[in-house]
Amino acid sequence: MKISCDKNVLLEGINIVQKAVSPKSTMPILEGILLEASDNLKLVGSDLDLGIECYLSAFVEEEGAVVLNARIFGEIVRRLPDDVVYIEVLENYNTNIKCGNTEFNIMGINPIEFPELPKVQKENTIIITQDKLRSMIRQTIFAVGTKESKIILTGSCLELDGNEINMVSVDGYRLALRKEILDSVYEKQSIVIPGKTLNELAKIIKEEEKKISLHISPKHVLFEFDECRIVSRLLEGEFLNYKHIIPKEYQLRVKVKVKPMIEAIERCALIILSDTQKHPIIISIGTDVINISCRTQTGTVYDSLDAETYGSDLQIGFNYKYLLEALKACECEEVYMEFNTSLSPCVIKPIEGDSFTHLILPVRF
Amino acid sequence: MGRKILHCDFNNFFAAIECLYNPEIRDKPVIVGGSQEKRHGIVLAKNYIAKQMGVKTGEAIWQAKRKCPNLIIIEPHYDLYLRFSREAREIYSYYTDRIESFGIDECWLDVTESTRLFGSAERIAYKIKDRIKEELGITVSIGVSFNKIFAKLGSDIKKPDAVTVITEDNFKNILWKLPVEDLLYVGPSTKKKLNKVAIITIGDLANAPLSFLKSQLGKWGETLWYFANGMDNTPVAKLDYESAVKGIGNSMTAPRDLTTDEDVKLLTYVLAESVSERLRKHNLKGKTVQISIRDKDLMYIERQEQLLEHTFISREIATKAYEIFLKSWNWPKPIRSFGVRVTDLVAADTYTQLSLFENKRQKLENIDFCIDKIRKRFGHYAVQRALLLKDEQLNANPVEEHIIHPVSYFQ
């Protein structure tokens, strides 16, 4: 294999595929990036659950392939001068990398053992814009479960019904639901995508109105966009039937300004030091006022802000992290917070429409 | 000004109390021992006559009987011993508020601040010794010194009913000739290590280079060297000080060797019920479950794993403990004793994050509380898991039968 390629183009590609490479693996070949030169240059990274392919424009003098350790190859290219990079694979996969006055020779690995990415039939395809998908992920990913015991909840559920698409994350204590409208109508279906995949995907796709295609097969999903193909295993099993959890009615509705609320909660959280003791913040809602207080071994704090309230007074406790993450994910100026009792979930909704729903279970105190 | 510390050690505590209550056996060899049927059959305490016959604390009852065929064996009465222990503390508290128990029959007293009221530390020691003999009818030996370690060594030097004073001037003469294993925390394995490098007495230890001990024993080497040189400044805890509980556990020597998974499962439930009952009693929840296994050749292992949530539900603890057991034991040998312990404790009822799934857990907690109430009213065996009916021998109640918990010198 013998190719030349612009340094920054190469680096961008490496940065993308590296997201699928685990730094430590039982198989050394999985700690590497596959470089495959034919018409252009293809980079591939994979950890068997998630695989990323990226096509770069490069001048291919001689076709071929090699696997290079992702960390070393990445660091080398990152620090090369901004110039054309020449890569040549010599005998025994010894690889020569040249750029400007710099020249490296590093050991490569035989690419024959590099696992092939799963083939996904392009029969069941959804098209969405990158910015929509990105915002759907960002507004729900924080509520993905982390417990190994409920594997299915370590992913987000993607639901299609007509031209509606929902993304839902639940970790047992809270739920984040995000709705979008698609340009076309699709068959009713739902899949569960691992949280890790979505996390990496959100970093790679851009805030642009460019299209991204999701090809869904029974076990895998393939994201195709720009010069990239991302294949991920799907989580198998029944996702939580979340719809009945979200209360339809409320006793108390509060119109809250998001930014002052976030700031007040962050101030209160300053005295919550212990992770194991999980001190709740106490939210007391009176007529047109929200009081936030907290008492821990460090001391006490008291804060209050104006709000429009509709309904009876209420006092309720929360894990501040859950409240904070939900409010931050709203990405708007004002929201409705809806309550029933001090032991039933709080629902956060937009003032208009139903593009998102956050649900948080309280802390009994 | 050095400190004035007393260490009071009851002489043959259990045996002395039994002899006090049974005058007819006072002139015979007596031991207090666990029940042989349940195989707790070791010598817990002995009187002086039994001691003269060569009976040792800790040996099996049949061994003791062989040395002394007319031995009188008495089952222990822990509630009685606890009462004497409490009454002794009452007497101590007349002289100081700094009293720290070390097990049921030993106490440290810091009388540094009391000497103006009651005279020298030695005088206080004699007063305490005489009052205990007069008021409780049993004897103590007391060590008086300037630190806890030496006071403890001192109380062992003259027994029974005696006072030994260890000062900064005489400790080298009196204590340094004692064998090194007399020192607190020098057990059989440390002794072996020390003897191997020609450290036989406490004096040898004190005179060994610190760096050498560190290389032999690690951090312990340093601690022991300080102990041997009288450089111990651990304070005597205040009377009302209760050390924070770090873990709650129970272990049990089974009445017969355990040979099947089913046996262990049964015992796991017995122990987990007792552990979780104590967790609930102290209003605690734990997250880490630990099991300990001693096989019939006394080989000992410990394994632990974490639960997802803090809990005091007996079923969750038992299930986890049994799960750990299945992972860590493939029956190379029958099991002699088995233990379950819960650590990583937090206060139980403070705050509960409500969950979408856990409606079941609230119910399980309520069941356990309910069982506690029934047992409190009608006795431990009033309500039982069906599993435990399979083998009545294994179904003991460790809560009532083991009330004395070991303590650590380091708080």
Side-chain angles (χ1 to χ4, degrees):
Chain A
M1 185 183 104
K2 193 173 177 186
I3 58 150
S4 55
C5 175
D6 178 75
K7 178 235 170 175
N8 286 314
V9 171
L10 184 61
L11 182 59
E12 200 183 329
I14 292 172
N15 282 341
I16 290 173
V17 299
Q18 212 168 24
K19 294 189 164 54
V21 183
S22 38
K24 269 265 169 270
S25 171
T26 46
M27 296 161 68
I29 199 151
L30 290 182
E31 292 170 22
I33 293 176
L34 170 69
L35 288 78
E36 208 176 272
S38 50
D39 302 339
N40 46 18
L41 177 65
K42 181 170 87 170
L43 302 182
V44 188
S46 166
D47 70 356
L48 298 180
D49 284 339
L50 173 67
I52 305 181
E53 269 179 15
C54 192
Y55 293 87
L56 311 178
S57 62
F59 177 69
V60 179
E61 215 169 305
E62 199 184 301
E63 295 190 356
V66 69
V67 173
L68 298 176
N69 180 286
R71 197 175 50 80
I72 294 165
F73 183 50
E75 281 305 312
I76 288 175
V77 175
R78 196 158 296 137
R79 283 157 203 270
L80 286 177
D82 289 343
D83 203 340
V84 177
V85 183
Y86 297 89
I87 301 175
E88 189 179 358
V89 180
L90 310 166
E91 245 172 277
N92 292 328
Y93 300 100
N94 209 336
T95 304
N96 177 273
I97 304 167
K98 253 191 287 195
C99 180
N101 296 329
T102 315
E103 185 173 347
F104 280 95
N105 274 301
I106 59 171
M107 283 304 297
I109 309 173
N110 188 341
I112 198 93
E113 284 161 40
F114 197 85
E116 238 180 282
L117 298 192
K119 295 265 179 299
V120 178
Q121 296 294 323
K122 298 184 182 176
E123 288 164 351
N124 183 2
T125 302
I126 301 155
I127 296 175
I128 186 170
T129 62
Q130 292 191 22
D131 58 341
K132 268 188 194 170
L133 183 62
R134 186 168 179 270
S135 111
M136 289 180 80
I137 297 172
R138 283 166 55 98
Q139 285 184 274
T140 54
I141 191 87
F142 64 90
V144 165
T146 51
K147 286 183 187 168
E148 292 291 320
S149 64
K150 293 217 164 51
I151 291 283
I152 190 79
L153 297 186
T154 60
S156 293
C157 180
L158 195 70
E159 289 178 323
L160 283 149
D161 192 359
N163 65 348
E164 257 185 26
I165 183 165
N166 285 348
M167 189 174 275
V168 193
S169 304
V170 188
D171 70 358
Y173 308 112
R174 55 186 165 161
L175 170 152
L177 163 67
R178 179 76 160 73
K179 263 191 181 46
E180 273 291 348
I181 303 297
L182 298 172
D183 296 336
S184 350
V185 171
Y186 296 94
E187 195 186 320
K188 190 171 167 145
Q189 57 182 308
S190 77
I191 54 170
V192 182
I193 307 170
K196 180 176 182 282
T197 302
L198 294 172
N199 224 336
E200 303 300 350
L201 183 65
K203 286 180 207 157
I204 298 168
I205 56 180
K206 303 185 180 80
E207 248 175 306
E208 289 169 10
E209 279 188 43
K210 279 201 253 172
K211 299 278 186 243
I212 175 167
S213 315
L214 282 68
H215 307 284
I216 299 165
S217 78
K219 300 224 163 180
H220 294 93
V221 59
L222 166 65
F223 300 91
E224 244 181 346
F225 58 98
D226 303 339
E227 308 305 323
C228 289
R229 285 154 46 84
I230 300 181
V231 190
S232 166
R233 192 178 50 87
L234 292 174
L235 293 177
E236 286 171 67
E238 198 67 30
F239 198 73
L240 183 77
N241 178 11
Y242 66 91
K243 286 195 172 113
H244 75 276
I245 297 168
I246 304 172
K248 305 276 177 299
E249 287 159 2
Y250 57 86
Q251 301 286 321
L252 168 66
R253 172 183 254 186
V254 187
K255 194 178 187 181
V256 186
K257 289 199 173 60
V258 175
K259 195 161 171 268
M261 183 78 175
I262 288 176
E263 286 169 355
I265 295 170
E266 280 175 335
R267 277 193 292 270
C268 288
L270 291 176
I271 62 164
I272 303 174
L273 304 175
S274 157
D275 248 3
T276 49
Q277 277 285 13
K278 283 185 191 138
H279 289 276
I281 56 167
I282 313 296
I283 297 196
S284 311
I285 299 160
T287 310
D288 288 340
V289 64
I290 302 178
N291 296 314
I292 306 173
S293 62
C294 185
R295 175 192 291 271
T296 71
Q297 59 269 58
T298 313
T300 60
V301 54
Y302 183 86
D303 214 317
S304 83
L305 52 136
D306 298 335
E308 287 174 38
T309 60
Y310 311 91
S312 45
D313 294 0
L314 180 76
Q315 195 178 47
I316 186 166
F318 287 104
N319 178 333
Y320 82 94
K321 270 187 195 146
Y322 294 166
L323 207 53
L324 210 54
E325 285 178 336
L327 286 167
K328 281 185 175 168
C330 290
E331 294 178 0
C332 57
E333 276 180 27
E334 281 187 307
V335 291
Y336 281 131
M337 292 177 78
E338 295 173 355
F339 303 89
N340 282 296
T341 69
S342 61
L343 294 180
S344 50
C346 156
V347 176
I348 303 176
K349 280 182 181 172
I351 303 293
E352 273 171 31
D354 60 349
S355 70
F356 64 81
T357 307
H358 295 303
L359 176 143
I360 308 161
L361 285 167
V363 171
R364 191 186 322 143
F365 63 93
Chain B
M1 241 299 272
R3 298 185 295 164
K4 303 282 177 215
I5 306 223
L6 312 188
H7 182 261
C8 305
D9 190 354
F10 282 101
N11 306 120
N12 309 327
F13 188 52
F14 297 177
I17 294 172
E18 297 298 343
C19 287
L20 187 69
Y21 277 73
N22 304 295
E24 70 278 7
I25 61 169
R26 280 182 202 168
D27 52 355
K28 302 192 174 100
V30 175
I31 62 153
V32 177
S35 112
Q36 266 174 301
E37 290 98 77
K38 287 185 185 163
R39 293 204 315 172
H40 306 148
I42 59 160
V43 178
L44 295 168
K46 60 204 179 285
N47 71 355
Y48 279 100
I49 304 168
K51 191 178 183 177
Q52 277 166 10
M53 311 285 281
V55 175
K56 289 197 178 101
T57 303
E59 70 184 351
I61 289 177
W62 61 266
Q63 283 172 317
K65 267 192 173 160
R66 192 181 287 174
K67 291 178 191 164
C68 176
N70 58 341
L71 192 66
I72 292 172
I73 301 154
I74 295 181
E75 285 211 18
H77 300 93
Y78 289 112
D79 44 343
L80 197 61
Y81 311 151
L82 281 173
R83 207 187 88 206
F84 270 82
S85 177
R86 267 198 309 275
E87 280 171 7
R89 283 176 67 108
E90 245 354 69
I91 294 173
Y92 303 149
S93 66
Y94 182 77
Y95 299 96
T96 178
D97 64 338
R98 302 195 78 100
I99 302 168
E100 182 181 337
S101 303
F102 192 64
I104 189 169
D105 59 346
E106 296 178 31
C107 261
W108 277 290
L109 279 60
D110 185 334
V111 296
T112 316
E113 311 292 334
S114 316
T115 46
R116 284 165 209 244
L117 281 171
F118 302 106
S120 73
E122 196 179 345
R123 278 200 59 180
I124 297 176
Y126 275 104
K127 277 184 193 163
I128 289 176
K129 174 183 85 75
D130 292 342
R131 273 189 69 181
I132 288 198
K133 195 173 170 188
E134 218 166 279
E135 294 174 26
L136 300 183
I138 51 177
T139 58
V140 285
S141 40
I142 300 181
V144 182
S145 190
F146 53 95
N147 68 52
K148 283 164 74 178
I149 295 292
F150 282 5
K152 183 165 164 58
L153 285 169
S155 68
D156 272 337
I157 286 180
K158 256 187 282 167
K159 304 190 213 191
D161 195 20
V163 173
T164 308
V165 183
I166 309 282
T167 63
E168 306 207 24
D169 302 320
N170 73 7
F171 79 86
K172 290 184 185 172
N173 287 330
I174 300 179
L175 300 180
W176 278 14
K177 57 177 190 262
L178 296 175
V180 72
E181 64 265 30
D182 281 3
L183 201 61
L184 197 60
Y185 283 104
V186 180
S189 77
T190 311
K191 180 196 167 189
K192 222 162 122 191
K193 281 184 207 160
L194 287 171
N195 286 173
K196 224 164 107 186
V197 291
I199 294 177
I200 313 292
T201 66
I202 294 179
D204 294 342
L205 181 68
N207 291 315
L210 183 53
S211 56
F212 174 70
L213 287 173
K214 265 195 196 166
S215 73
Q216 294 296 311
L217 300 173
K219 217 177 143 233
W220 269 116
E222 197 177 351
T223 312
L224 292 176
W225 187 83
Y226 284 126
F227 280 3
N229 280 293
M231 293 181 229
D232 167 44
N233 51 13
T234 15
V236 176
K238 276 250 172 92
L239 180 59
D240 48 6
Y241 174 81
E242 259 190 62
S243 59
V245 184
K246 287 189 187 134
I248 288 184
N250 265 131
S251 69
M252 203 159 89
T253 301
R256 57 174 172 81
D257 281 348
L258 309 174
T259 50
T260 63
D261 286 347
E262 194 65 17
D263 284 346
V264 176
K265 186 172 182 182
L266 218 139
L267 201 58
T268 308
Y269 273 90
V270 172
L271 295 166
E273 280 199 3
S274 139
V275 168
S276 66
E277 186 181 330
R278 277 165 57 207
L279 284 170
R280 291 191 292 275
K281 204 164 127 194
H282 291 98
N283 191 32
L284 293 167
K285 283 184 178 184
K287 199 169 183 183
T288 304
V289 176
Q290 200 176 60
I291 62 163
S292 55
I293 303 169
R294 197 181 287 279
D295 69 25
K296 77 179 222 313
D297 296 333
L298 306 184
M299 227 276 291
Y300 183 76
I301 64 160
E302 270 184 10
R303 295 288 180 273
Q304 67 174 51
E305 260 179 46
Q306 286 219 325
L307 291 160
L308 294 173
E309 300 281 339
H310 286 91
T311 189
F312 52 46
I313 297 169
S314 49
R315 189 160 91 184
E316 291 185 347
I317 295 168
T319 319
K320 190 74 194 178
Y322 187 55
E323 189 189 311
I324 303 170
F325 168 77
L326 290 179
K327 276 188 217 165
S328 37
W329 195 255
N330 55 1
W331 293 105
K333 279 173 196 160
I335 294 174
R336 169 74 37 100
S337 85
F338 187 75
V340 174
R341 187 177 158 81
V342 174
T343 57
D344 249 340
L345 305 179
V346 295
D349 62 353
T350 42
Y351 319 109
T352 325
Q353 168 70 54
L354 302 184
S355 156
L356 295 169
F357 308 110
E358 277 169 13
N359 306 329
K360 222 172 48 192
R361 290 193 79 200
Q362 187 65 44
K363 269 192 186 161
L364 288 173
E365 290 187 358
N366 290 343
I367 290 175
D368 273 350
F369 278 125
C370 195
I371 303 269
D372 287 349
K373 273 188 201 153
I374 295 171
R375 284 184 169 166
K376 199 172 168 197
R377 243 178 109 179
F378 302 106
H380 180 80
Y381 295 99
V383 51
Q384 292 294 308
R385 280 173 198 276
L387 172 78
L388 304 186
L389 297 176
K390 281 190 186 167
D391 194 330
E392 284 185 25
Q393 226 190 343
L394 291 181
N395 186 10
N397 172 16
V399 179
E400 277 164 26
E401 285 158 23
H402 297 211
I403 23 174
I404 293 151
H405 312 297
V407 286
S408 164
Y409 183 66
F410 301 96
Q411 300 284 334

